[in-house]
Amino acid sequence: MSPEKEPAFVRYLKTIKICMLILILCPVFLQWPEQAHATGGKEKRVPEIDFTKFSLEELKNVKITSASKTPEKLSKIPAAVFVITQEDIKRSGATSIPEVLRMAPGVQVARISATEWAVNIRGLNELYSNKLLVLIDGRSVYTNALSGVFWDVQDTVLEDIDRIEIIRGPGAALWGANAVNGVINIITKNASKTQGWQLTLLGGNQEGIFTARYGDIAGDDGFYRAYAKGFLRGRLFEGDRDIKNDPSKSDWQSGRGGFRFDFEPEDHISRVMVEGEAYANKFDTKDIRFFPAPPYFREDESASEAYGGHLITRWQYKLSDNSDAMIRFYYDFYSKDIGMGNVRAHTFDFDSQHRFVPFENHEILWGINARFISDKFAQTFDMEMDPQHKDQYFLSVFFQDRMRIIPDKLNLTIGSKFEYNRYTGMEIQPSLRMIWFPRENHALWGAISRAARVPSRIESDVEFNSQVPPSSGANAPVIVRYLGNNDLEAETLTAYELGYRIQPAENWWVNMTGFYHDYKDLIALELARPPFTEQSASDRWIVPFKYRNNKNGHSVGFEMAAYWEVMSFWKLKGAYTLLETNLENETAQPEDESVKLMVRRSNPHNQFSLISSVDISENIEFDLWFRYVDRLSEEDVGAYSTIDTRISWKPRPLMEISLVGQNLLEEKHSEFSSLKVERSFYLKLDWCF
Amino acid sequence: MTGVFSQTGSFFIMPRIIKSLNGTGIAFLALFLFLSLINISKASGQPVSGEEYKVKAGFIYHFTRFTTWPQSTFKAEDSPINLCIASTNTESDIIFALRDKTVKDRKIAVRKFRGKKDINKCQILFIASDDKKFVLKKLKTVKNKGILTIGEISGFIRMGGIINFFKKGDRLRFEVNPDAAEKAGIRFSSQLLMSAEIVRKGR
């Protein structure tokens, strides 16, 4: 398939189509309150049943729905939220955090190499998506060094994750800068829920994982757990290792250990959490080294290493029935090799929040955050940072007022974050959100918000010399030089969102969201001046690029998530994403085609996921996961469909054996780069005692 | 930026999905549809349903009614019955709703069980956990102390527990160990024993 240029009017047609869909659906929504009125106003759903009034025999006939497994209650949050539960993680068969995220609507996940994923929400996807904030137990794993997340080192015992909350759209009013396109919040279980031993052993044709966790009580009111996890992804994608410019990595080894301690005195007034972890990560890589004389390039095998750790303490205090406070402090350290270079960073973060109800129908949430980051880049022959070492601090205050304009009918949330940083000064990031319940189990919400992304260290301070092999015509080697820019402004987004949720019965719900994102001052590389010849040891042809706020852009999309419990033993979960992105140059100057080659990014226009979970019997589960991902037009990667399947058997309670097959439909497929993701299998034992 | 879209339109991707499937995929898809249709036609009337621990609270209330403790257990005619909860989950906190219900002039008091020091403050101990080690530890602490132990883990009776909840399909059942009850000095009325699914001798 050859990419076709699309006339502008076709693009407008698509936008119009989305608007029309929203308009067509709107009158339907608007009719509901009238109906509700006709039936006598507010309907009371299932009343609270007092089971003490039942006799023993009657009780034996009551169908039980366990609280943890009941379908997600209709969320009252005026934002596009999706929650992945522990049960979802287990039944997906996924073995890493990015793979789990594939089930969420609006999230693009593509494997780039054995150790790299492109993960983004509502935007052009790339290796380090710079507008997506990721938090693990409140700790930001978004690195300011290059604005993005190192997905290869973000891991934990997947069985100990309680849930993953995915908030699409700007979360900046609460979370602050860089929560532009979305926030992914990974929350681990309270230590009281991970008591005793849990061992998991996983082995397959692509990976081996071992985890051990032990939890016990600590004193009268406390619980703890300690864990260790290691994995080996040794022979990943063997057949594709020799692809030029795509050094797929092998022999990936990772080990980590940590603990969590939760303390909650009987009075339930205060809660304390302490959590710590240390990890090391290593994989083989190929570095392409440059020499001034022919053949100019040599490939060197080397190891890419990363290690780090963190310590978090959190204290929650209940001041009264409708007022509480939270204070959190964390320290995080990492050292990571990037290409031939290395970056290490220490982060100290202090966060506090206070919620209270000053008068009826108003709930105020406000907080203060202070963050200090000290980083250091290693100098390499191709990358130089000026300065190599930098200390930065970020200060912010936010407040939010949740107003019940008409109790149980209409809520309005206004809030803003005021954030100061030394790159771009003060960033004001307000949001206005409204949710309306036309009748019970229906919610219509809308939001307008502004968010900002602060330039990364690389974008401000780098000088990177990328060597290009001389073409047959040229004599001198060509060097593409990237230059950082100290005068960059923050990238900003104004987002318009409209969503609808409906849960007509206990056993099914549908969430729909449409959005329009308007980006200003996007940072991109631009030819700084005409290419020139530089005289050093030998002549070099230099093509200098500089980071500039030179682009505007917009994206339009529609996201849908649906859940249907067909029978008590059979559940279906679906997600559909439509995303259309457009970038425009601020200046009339046309974009240099070579920039597109340097920064590889693209998103599929359509994505679809359907998960079927069947409990065949008390101890046998069978899951199927179908995914369709559209082609990447900018990357010339074709569309693919795939199926993962999982079958598990519990020979005895607390012991589970599962067999998982991944990417079964084809032998292999590309997702982002020329790397092909292959069909794989594994067997897993999960044993608690 | 070239936005390349299919001519078929953005919302109607099904034909394209199907086109991209091979035989296996179509088979799976067909299976999905088939099973969905079967199950739609099977829709039935809804029985009364409730959250697991709310229903368990109902059971526990009745256990309290049908249990007789040794005379020495209560100081006065209207001393409260203390229901203690040892739990490794938060859902079981619903049981606290039994607080202030009355059984034969006695109020029910609900509290968290924190260990040895609470033994004399409990007449009932509900161990809401499927963690065997946790359960064993609690059972050991209260063994033969005149406390009615209630559990929800298979093997609870064998471990020396007195009443155990288990699930049969999506309904709750309970089993009773009269030997262990006797050792604890507890007597049950026949109404309770008749509703119990299995009256198993402790081993």
Side-chain angles (χ1 to χ4, degrees):
Chain A
M1 263 204 270
S2 68
E4 307 127 90
K5 271 268 179 200
E6 218 177 11
F9 76 90
V10 178
R11 286 205 302 271
Y12 286 121
L13 271 180
K14 267 172 231 146
T15 317
I16 289 166
K17 216 188 295 177
I18 292 166
C19 293
M20 268 172 62
L21 189 87
I22 292 167
L23 284 175
I24 290 164
L25 291 173
C26 267
V28 185
F29 304 155
L30 294 172
Q31 276 166 21
W32 277 320
E34 288 166 23
Q35 283 169 10
H37 191 72
T39 54
K42 209 181 147 193
E43 291 166 305
K44 196 83 187 151
R45 248 166 51 86
V46 192
E48 275 294 301
I49 302 170
D50 182 359
F51 288 107
T52 61
K53 299 262 184 339
F54 284 48
S55 74
L56 279 176
E57 284 306 310
E58 282 167 342
L59 283 170
K60 282 164 69 178
N61 254 322
V62 175
K63 192 179 153 192
I64 55 158
T65 54
S66 81
S68 55
K69 278 185 184 166
T70 39
E72 173 180 317
K73 282 271 171 293
L74 190 67
S75 167
K76 296 210 156 77
I77 304 163
V81 182
F82 185 80
V83 178
I84 297 174
T85 63
Q86 170 56 228
E87 177 81 0
D88 295 332
I89 295 172
K90 185 187 99 172
R91 303 195 67 154
S92 72
T95 57
S96 63
I97 293 170
E99 295 292 329
V100 169
L101 299 174
R102 289 181 193 269
M103 73 176 77
V107 182
Q108 288 102 38
V109 179
R111 193 128 191 198
I112 301 177
S113 75
T115 59
E116 291 165 325
W117 282 267
V119 180
N120 202 359
I121 293 178
R122 293 184 177 177
L124 280 168
N125 202 4
E126 58 191 313
L127 174 54
Y128 302 114
S129 295
N130 56 30
K131 294 177 196 64
L132 173 66
L133 186 65
V134 181
L135 304 160
I136 302 179
D137 286 334
R139 172 179 60 99
S140 170
V141 298
Y142 176 98
T143 169
N144 190 252
L146 37 65
S147 286
V149 176
F150 296 121
W151 284 105
D152 57 337
V153 297
Q154 307 313 332
D155 190 20
T156 186
V157 176
L158 290 189
E159 288 75 14
D160 288 348
I161 293 178
D162 185 69
R163 62 188 191 279
I164 302 176
E165 295 173 352
I166 296 158
I167 299 114
R168 306 187 299 275
L174 277 185
W175 281 280
N178 309 325
V180 176
N181 283 340
V183 182
I184 294 177
N185 236 328
I186 298 164
I187 296 153
T188 67
K189 286 180 185 167
N190 189 293
S192 68
K193 290 188 179 177
T194 53
Q195 294 286 290
W197 280 99
Q198 177 164 25
L199 296 180
T200 61
L201 274 171
L202 185 153
N205 66 339
Q206 283 192 345
E207 57 189 334
I209 304 177
F210 166 78
T211 64
R213 180 257 288 151
Y214 177 73
D216 206 341
I217 32 187
D220 280 342
D221 304 309
F223 296 91
Y224 74 89
R225 70 164 170 263
Y227 59 90
K229 174 176 183 174
F231 69 71
L232 255 174
R233 292 180 173 138
R235 302 192 320 114
L236 277 165
F237 316 121
E238 193 89 55
D240 294 300
R241 242 201 260 174
D242 290 325
I243 290 166
K244 257 273 177 277
N245 301 324
D246 186 22
S248 299
K249 289 122 187 172
S250 69
D251 276 327
W252 183 12
Q253 302 167 30
S254 171
R256 66 184 60 231
F259 71 93
R260 173 168 169 155
F261 172 75
D262 283 280
F263 177 78
E264 182 172 0
E266 203 190 3
D267 54 16
H268 297 290
I269 284 176
S270 63
R271 283 154 78 182
V272 174
M273 185 270 272
V274 182
E275 192 183 82
E277 189 183 70
Y279 65 85
N281 206 28
K282 182 177 170 256
F283 51 79
D284 285 350
T285 183
K286 278 177 192 154
D287 292 331
I288 299 164
R289 283 178 198 279
F290 172 76
F291 297 94
Y296 298 111
F297 291 94
R298 199 179 76 204
E299 260 192 357
D300 275 356
E301 297 268 344
S302 70
S304 178
E305 289 176 9
Y307 58 89
H310 67 262
L311 190 70
I312 309 175
T313 62
R314 185 182 68 198
W315 180 64
Q316 286 161 294
Y317 193 82
K318 194 170 163 181
L319 297 155
S320 73
D321 272 347
N322 45 28
S323 167
D324 42 50
M326 187 278 290
I327 290 172
R328 178 176 50 220
F329 172 80
Y330 72 78
Y331 163 71
D332 181 277
F333 165 74
Y334 73 83
S335 160
K336 178 152 174 45
D337 294 349
I338 320 169
M340 263 164 295
N342 172 284
V343 56
R344 41 180 63 211
H346 301 266
T347 304
F348 297 86
D349 184 282
F350 170 84
D351 198 34
S352 67
Q353 277 178 26
H354 176 208
R355 184 183 69 93
F356 65 102
V357 178
F359 30 85
E360 220 188 331
N361 295 332
H362 285 262
E363 188 191 77
I364 306 275
L365 182 70
W366 70 282
I368 299 171
N369 177 273
R371 183 176 294 174
F372 173 79
I373 303 173
S374 172
D375 65 21
K376 193 171 187 224
F377 284 78
Q379 194 118 337
T380 63
F381 76 91
D382 58 359
M383 192 173 101
E384 201 175 304
M385 295 290 284
D386 181 28
Q388 262 179 286
H389 165 89
K390 199 168 187 175
D391 292 338
Q392 300 162 77
Y393 61 88
F394 301 85
L395 290 172
S396 68
V397 179
F398 81 90
F399 82 91
Q400 175 187 292
D401 182 3
R402 242 172 60 188
M403 289 172 251
R404 289 193 298 176
I405 295 181
I406 310 168
D408 299 324
K409 274 275 174 235
L410 190 65
N411 290 355
L412 177 72
T413 306
I414 57 166
S416 182
K417 186 134 191 163
F418 302 89
E419 177 156 345
Y420 174 79
N421 72 83
R422 273 168 66 186
Y423 284 113
T424 64
M426 179 73 89
E427 296 298 335
I428 301 171
Q429 304 178 71
S431 92
L432 172 76
R433 293 175 181 272
M434 197 180 266
I435 187 160
W436 175 47
F437 305 97
R439 57 183 276 190
E440 211 149 358
N441 297 321
H442 293 255
L444 174 68
W445 64 271
I448 301 173
S449 37
R450 182 183 186 271
R453 181 186 70 93
V454 178
S456 69
R457 267 277 269 153
I458 296 266
E459 285 162 336
S460 325
D461 303 323
V462 79
E463 186 191 316
F464 183 75
N465 289 302
S466 171
Q467 326 272 342
V468 181
S471 60
S472 50
N475 290 323
V478 176
I479 288 177
V480 177
R481 180 170 289 168
Y482 302 44
L483 292 167
N485 181 349
N486 274 317
D487 300 323
L488 289 172
E489 294 294 320
E491 298 181 328
T492 62
L493 161 69
T494 310
Y496 306 86
E497 297 172 272
L498 192 63
Y500 195 74
R501 298 192 193 107
I502 171 172
Q503 181 166 20
E506 236 353 64
N507 67 335
W508 69 280
W509 51 253
V510 178
N511 284 351
M512 286 171 286
T513 309
F515 68 89
Y516 177 80
H517 280 192
D518 188 11
Y519 299 92
K520 288 269 179 315
D521 298 327
L522 292 174
I523 297 168
L525 287 167
E526 187 182 278
L527 203 57
R529 60 185 178 113
F532 59 95
T533 311
E534 188 180 73
Q535 247 111 47
S536 58
S538 66
D539 284 0
R540 305 194 293 181
W541 181 245
I542 308 284
V543 189
F545 283 94
K546 196 165 186 171
Y547 287 101
R548 292 238 167 88
N549 292 100
N550 63 358
K551 280 191 184 344
N552 291 333
H554 66 259
S555 61
V556 180
F558 174 78
E559 297 142 352
M560 189 164 123
Y563 172 90
W564 182 25
E565 187 180 323
V566 187
M567 299 288 283
S568 62
F569 57 86
W570 185 27
K571 297 172 183 82
L572 292 176
K573 273 193 167 182
Y576 169 69
T577 308
L578 165 76
L579 174 64
E580 163 93 38
T581 50
N582 279 288
L583 289 179
E584 299 127 21
N585 280 1
E586 253 173 22
T587 50
Q589 185 190 16
E591 187 179 36
D592 198 293
E593 281 299 312
S594 53
V595 173
K596 276 190 194 163
L597 292 174
M598 291 185 290
V599 186
R600 313 180 65 178
R601 48 191 193 178
S602 188
N603 65 273
H605 290 290
N606 290 288
Q607 276 189 130
F608 177 73
S609 153
L610 182 67
I611 298 176
S612 154
S613 302
V614 181
D615 299 328
I616 291 177
S617 75
E618 291 261 295
N619 43 25
I620 298 177
E621 295 169 353
F622 177 62
D623 304 289
L624 277 175
W625 184 5
F626 170 81
R627 294 189 300 273
Y628 166 81
V629 178
D630 212 344
R631 58 194 293 264
L632 300 181
S633 45
E634 291 88 352
E635 288 297 324
D636 200 24
V637 171
Y640 69 89
S641 296
T642 188
I643 278 183
D644 290 358
T645 178
R646 168 181 178 273
I647 185 152
S648 79
W649 172 56
K650 277 188 182 151
R652 44 190 267 204
L654 304 178
M655 183 191 266
E656 190 174 59
I657 296 167
S658 48
L659 178 68
V660 173
Q662 292 167 318
N663 302 307
L664 296 182
L665 282 191
E666 291 168 287
E667 194 195 335
K668 44 183 159 183
H669 66 262
S670 289
E671 295 191 348
F672 197 83
S673 54
S674 49
L675 168 102
K676 293 215 159 60
V677 176
E678 294 171 0
R679 187 179 284 156
S680 63
F681 300 92
Y682 72 78
L683 190 68
K684 183 183 173 193
L685 170 74
D686 189 334
W687 187 25
C688 299
F689 55 92
Chain B
M1 190 97 345
T2 57
V4 181
F5 235 89
S6 100
Q7 299 86 337
T8 48
S10 45
F11 287 105
F12 306 101
I13 57 160
M14 272 324 268
R16 292 171 63 204
I17 293 177
I18 291 166
K19 220 173 10 182
S20 73
L21 290 174
N22 55 22
T24 334
I26 290 171
F28 274 128
L29 211 66
L31 192 73
F32 271 141
L33 289 173
F34 175 69
L35 289 173
S36 348
L37 289 173
I38 289 180
N39 282 292
I40 286 168
S41 60
K42 269 205 218 158
S44 61
Q46 285 280 307
V48 182
S49 65
E51 269 173 43
E52 180 172 340
Y53 284 102
K54 281 190 183 156
V55 182
K56 280 182 176 164
F59 274 104
I60 292 170
Y61 173 74
H62 286 286
F63 296 159
T64 315
R65 282 179 61 207
F66 297 133
T67 303
T68 317
W69 278 270
Q71 288 255 302
S72 57
T73 304
F74 300 104
K75 286 197 188 89
E77 271 305 294
D78 58 351
S79 303
I81 300 173
N82 291 296
L83 164 59
C84 298
I85 299 171
S87 145
T88 53
N89 61 49
T90 47
E91 291 85 36
S92 58
D93 286 347
I94 294 176
I95 309 277
F96 276 89
L98 287 178
R99 178 178 280 167
D100 296 336
K101 292 256 175 215
T102 47
V103 173
K104 294 177 217 153
D105 299 333
R106 295 187 198 280
K107 273 199 167 173
I108 297 179
V110 190
R111 58 171 75 221
K112 285 247 174 192
F113 183 74
R114 289 169 305 166
K116 263 209 171 80
K117 61 182 178 193
D118 284 347
I119 292 177
N120 296 322
K121 295 179 203 151
C122 301
Q123 281 78 52
I124 305 171
L125 174 63
F126 177 40
I127 309 171
S129 172
D130 52 7
D131 178 342
K132 198 171 160 190
K133 206 182 151 192
F134 178 83
V135 175
L136 271 172
K137 200 167 168 181
K138 300 293 166 207
L139 275 178
K140 214 174 127 195
T141 318
V142 300
K143 206 173 180 188
N144 301 340
K145 294 282 194 312
I147 295 174
L148 169 60
T149 51
I150 305 172
E152 50 173 29
I153 179 172
S154 73
F156 188 72
I157 296 288
R158 236 180 308 138
M159 294 181 225
I162 300 176
I163 297 183
N164 188 38
F165 286 114
F166 63 98
K167 282 178 204 165
K168 199 167 181 182
D170 44 19
R171 308 288 201 277
L172 277 176
R173 296 287 183 271
F174 66 97
E175 51 188 356
V176 176
N177 181 350
D179 286 356
E182 202 179 310
K183 275 184 204 155
I186 289 167
R187 278 186 298 121
F188 293 125
S189 80
S190 57
Q191 270 153 301
L192 188 146
L193 295 174
M194 271 159 59
S195 288
E197 197 77 354
I198 311 162
V199 182
R200 211 160 29 195
K201 299 275 173 206
R203 262 169 271 170

